[in-house]
Amino acid sequence: MCHDHDSRPPAPPRTGDVAERGTLTLTAADGTEFSAAYAAPAAPARAGVVVLPDVRGLHPYYVALAERFAGAGLPAVAIDWFGRTAGLAETGTRAEDFDHRSHAAQVTPEGVDADTAAAVEYLRRRTDPALPVVTVGFCFGGSHAWRQSAGSLDIAGSAGFYGKPGVVGEAAQRATKPVVMIIAGADRATPVADQLQLAATMRAAGADVDDVVYEGAPHSFFDRAYGEWADACADAWRHVLALTDRVAAGPPDVPSPA
């Protein structure tokens, strides 16, 4: 489990007004309805974020994280994993006693990507049809965010916190999109060496990988309650926002042949 039920994400290094926030229902291309949360900045959007939660699905932490991104100027949609097996979350988010384990075992990469695509479409419909979008995931979701660097989703990049290389699998050898890997140095769930090896594999495949290890930090350190990791949280924000700023700026200009 990544965070306590009352955990909330740390504040980003830049903040602004949030114009809209709330939960909603989205529909994937296969007809599945799933729960989601949306937050939008007051300022015009230059890039967007799809938040991929941990194994519990749309926990209140991730609703709050969507608002944090909106405060940083990025419209964001946080999605729930379990529309295909558990239906919609009755109160908009998954309750503390929700049996996520039995449903998580039934989540597939295809379902994750279908729901991500629906969230991307929603962001563009609400903002700009050409909006560049990145995925940002945590643990279970972080693993899928890394995997999505290799897929055909119309995203500009991805960032993952404390993911598991095993979920990425052979997709790492096809990675091409920019990736941020936030690695907790004292993560008991996944050895740091395994994550660094994944970074090397993705880099060899052609992906631009920004991998950063926070020595001594525990799994789920990205939490406003963890005062001793405040500097690590702030730095992790900087790495993620560097990715969103990069995709917002677009591809670098290529000089014309002389």
Side-chain angles (χ1 to χ4, degrees), residues 2 38 57-58 76 88-89 97-98 124 146 168 172 176 181 192 199 201 209 216 234 243 254:
C2 273
Y38 175 65
L58 191 58
L88 300 175
D97 61 354
F98 173 67
R124 290 177 175 154
W146 294 341
V168 183
T176 57
M181 297 180 65
V192 170
T201 300
V209 181
L243 174 64
V254 177

Side-chain angles (χ1 to χ4, degrees), residues 10 110 142 181 226 244:
E110 294 76 17
M181 297 180 65
Y226 289 3
T244 62

Side-chain angles (χ1 to χ4, degrees), residues 19-37:
E20 184 179 351
R21 56 173 63 83
T23 56
L24 67 154
T25 299
L26 297 179
T27 304
D30 62 2
T32 299
E33 292 187 330
F34 61 96
S35 298

Side-chain angles (χ1 to χ4, degrees), residues 97-250:
D97 61 354
F98 173 67
D99 178 20
H100 62 272
R101 294 187 183 279
S102 63
H103 294 282
Q106 302 176 68
V107 174
T108 66
E110 294 76 17
V112 170
D113 290 352
D115 294 349
T116 301
V120 170
E121 190 279 330
Y122 181 81
L123 282 171
R124 290 177 175 154
R125 178 155 42 91
R126 294 296 310 274
T127 57
D128 179 344
L131 186 76
V133 177
V134 303
T135 56
V136 179
F138 292 76
C139 192
F140 184 82
S143 307
H144 283 287
W146 294 341
R147 177 186 58 77
Q148 287 172 341
S149 172
S152 59
L153 280 173
D154 186 12
I155 60 173
S158 58
F161 287 66
Y162 9 94
K164 294 188 175 182
V167 173
V168 183
E170 294 182 359
Q173 301 173 29
R174 304 188 301 276
T176 57
K177 299 182 177 72
V179 178
V180 175
M181 297 180 65
I182 303 296
I183 302 171
D187 194 338
R188 296 180 180 179
T190 306
V192 170
D194 291 358
Q195 296 179 72
L196 294 177
Q197 180 57 56
L198 174 65
T201 300
M202 298 176 80
R203 196 173 283 119
D208 185 347
V209 181
D210 174 18
D211 54 327
V212 55
V213 178
Y214 296 100
E215 296 296 341
H219 189 83
S220 306
F221 74 88
F222 196 70
D223 188 319
R224 71 180 184 189
Y226 289 3
E228 66 269 39
W229 301 110
D231 290 345
C233 289
D235 191 65
W237 264 119
R238 285 190 286 269
H239 282 268
V240 173
L241 294 178
L243 174 64
T244 62
D245 289 346
R246 171 183 174 178
V247 303

